[in-house]
Amino acid sequence: MYHTSKIKVKPFMKMADLIDANPNLLLMLQHFNIDFRVSDQTVAQLCTGHGISENLFINIANLYNGLGTRAHQPYTRDDLVQVIDFLKQSHHYYRSDKYPQISSYIRQLQENHAAKELKLLEKFFNEYFTEVIDHLDYEDNIAFPYFITLLKKADEPGKRELYSSIEYGEHHTDIELKLKDLKQLLLKYVNIENDLDLRRKLFFALYELEFDLYIHSLIEETILIPAGVDIEKEQNA
Amino acid sequence: MRNPLLHIAILESSRIICEGLQTILYQSDLDCRVHRSETLEELSELLETTSVDILIANPLQFMNREKEIRKIRKLHPSMSIAGIDYGVIQKQSMVTDISFTLYDSVEHIIHALSKLGKKNQSAALQKNEDDNLTKREIEVLTGLVNGLMNKEIADSLNISIHTVVRHRKNITMKTGIRSQSGLTIYAISKKIVSIEDIEI
C-alpha cells in the first residue's frame, strides 16, 4: 500500500506519531519483534530498549516511509545479524500470514463463482505459492546461514567459500513478477460478478504483500548484499 | 479514448527545481509519470529503458555537449525537449522545442507541455492500443497457451523464431502479463481459447 506522507524518521521522534502517519510501520515493528504498545517512547528509546541499532532501525523505517537509504551506510556486523533476523521474521509473515490469507480468499472466490477461469487462477496462485516457499526455503537454509557464518568468522583468514553474496543477488528470483500478473488479471481481465467485499479484501492483501516484498528486496539489495560483498573483499584481501 | 500516459523526464541538478516541477506536474490534469536525472549520463541510462515523451531540461546541461544531444535526438526522435529558461541564454536554444521560465504561471507551463505531449500522441495511440492483439499475436498466444515451444510455434506459422519472440514481447507489453500461466488465464477470459482445451 503506497502512502503519501513521507516523514523522514529521526531519533527524537515519537514512535506512536510515526505509526499514525504510516501504519505500515507496524509491520516493521513486528519484523523487529517489537510490541505495538510503544507508549510515549521515542525512536531512540525504543531502539535502546530492544537492543536494536538505531542507525539500522531508522534506515529501514525510512524505506517503509518511502524514502531511500543513503548509499554505503557503515553497518556493523551486529547490525547485519539483526538484518537477517528481520528478514527471517518477514519470511514468517509471508509464510504463515499473508500467503495463506490470499490463498483462502482465492479459494472462497473460486467456490462462490462458477467461472472456470477462477479454477485456473487458483492453480496459478498455488503454483506461485510453491515457488515462493521454495525461494524462502532457499534463503532460510542456504543464503542466511552463509551470511551468518561470514559475519561470525570475522577475522579468520579468507578461505574461498562455495557461495558468495553476489550469487545470492543473482539467485534473487523475481517473486514480484507473478504477483503483478495476478493483480493485472484481477483488475483487467477475469470477469467476476459482484462479491466486492471479498475481492476488495483480496486486493488489499495483495497490495500489502507487494509492499512488504518490495521493502524486503530493497533491504537485501541496499543493505545485506553490499555489506556481504565488502566483508568478502576484506577476507579475501 | 483516454490519453496515454506521458513519460516526462527532468534533467536538472537542482533538487528544489526538480521537486517543484514534479509537484506541479503531478497536481495537474496531465496524466504523466515523472523521471528525474541529474546529469546527461543519467538521462541516457534512463532513455535506454523508458520511452520518454517530453524532456524538461536545464539548457546549461547541454553546454559543450552538442554532439551528445544530437545523438540523443537521433536515437529518440519522438521525444520533445522543453528548456527551462533561466534568462542566461538569450535566444531559444537550437535543441529545445519550447521553453518556459520558472516565473511563468503553472497553467502556462502545463498548457505548453500538454501541447507538446499531444504532438506525439497520434503515434503513441497506435502503439498503445490497449490490449488489442493482432491476428498474428493471437495465433502466437494460442500456441503458447497450448504449451508449444517457440520453435514449434514458428514452424506452425511459417515464421522465424525471432519473430515469435518479438510477438511474445508485444503480447506481454499489451496485456501487462508475463508468465505463461497468467497468459493462459488471459486467453480464456478474452475467449481466445476455450477452457475445454486446457488441462486443469
Side-chain angles (χ1 to χ4, degrees), chain B:
Chain B
M1 189 184 263
R2 249 178 93 74
N3 295 340
L5 186 73
L6 274 181
H7 283 274
I8 300 181
I10 303 177
L11 172 62
E12 164 63 68
S13 57
S14 154
R15 199 161 143 203
I16 293 179
I17 293 173
C18 261
E19 298 214 346
L21 282 170
Q22 190 170 346
T23 307
I24 65 163
L25 286 168
Y26 280 148
Q27 285 172 355
S28 76
D29 291 334
L30 278 183
D31 194 6
C32 62
R33 183 156 305 149
V34 178
H35 310 266
R36 283 155 52 168
S37 18
E38 282 189 18
T39 61
L40 213 51
E41 287 72 25
E42 273 181 45
L43 176 72
S44 304
E45 270 174 44
L46 170 74
L47 290 174
E48 277 170 27
T49 52
T50 313
S51 93
V52 170
D53 304 295
I54 301 176
L55 169 68
I56 301 176
N58 178 348
L60 289 175
Q61 294 264 9
F62 297 155
M63 289 263 273
N64 306 322
R65 319 269 307 245
E66 284 78 11
K67 228 170 131 186
E68 283 151 278
I69 307 297
R70 241 174 269 137
K71 198 175 140 205
I72 289 180
R73 288 231 103 163
K74 216 170 138 193
L75 284 172
H76 309 279
S78 62
M79 180 174 77
S80 311
I81 302 182
I84 308 171
D85 180 357
Y86 288 91
V88 183
I89 295 161
Q90 290 297 314
K91 61 175 196 289
Q92 189 168 319
S93 140
M94 296 270 290
V95 285
T96 55
D97 299 304
I98 60 160
S99 64
F100 60 84
T101 80
L102 294 177
Y103 297 97
D104 287 344
S105 72
V106 169
E107 291 74 26
H108 174 85
I109 295 175
I110 296 296
H111 180 71
L113 289 175
S114 80
K115 237 169 78 187
L116 203 54
K118 279 193 184 117
K119 238 179 62 182
N120 312 327
Q121 228 166 59
S122 52
L125 270 178
Q126 275 168 357
K127 231 175 37 184
N128 198 358
E129 244 183 276
D130 287 339
D131 62 315
N132 287 338
L133 302 183
T134 63
K135 194 166 156 268
R136 236 345 173 213
E137 284 159 359
I138 288 177
E139 287 167 345
V140 170
L141 178 64
T142 312
L144 215 60
V145 168
N146 287 321
L148 298 186
M149 310 290 286
N150 284 351
K151 170 101 180 52
E152 294 170 302
I153 297 175
D155 289 347
S156 71
L157 298 176
N158 263 326
I159 53 179
S160 70
I161 294 193
H162 179 77
T163 311
V164 174
V165 172
R166 206 188 61 221
H167 284 309
R168 286 187 66 159
K169 270 193 196 143
N170 286 339
I171 292 170
T172 294
M173 211 182 70
K174 286 184 178 176
T175 60
I177 295 174
R178 274 182 259 201
S179 64
Q180 197 200 331
S181 33
L183 283 171
T184 306
I185 299 172
Y186 168 82
I188 291 168
S189 298
K190 285 277 171 172
K191 307 207 170 13
I192 292 171
V193 294
S194 129
I195 194 145
E196 276 69 37
D197 300 340
I198 309 289
E199 281 175 46
I200 297 185

Side-chain angles (χ1 to χ4, degrees), chain A residues 10-27:
Chain A
K10 309 251 165 63
F12 57 82
M13 290 178 172
K14 299 254 195 237
M15 193 64 220
D17 294 340
L18 290 171
I19 294 171
D20 246 356
N22 176 15
N24 283 310
L25 287 170
L26 289 169
L27 201 52

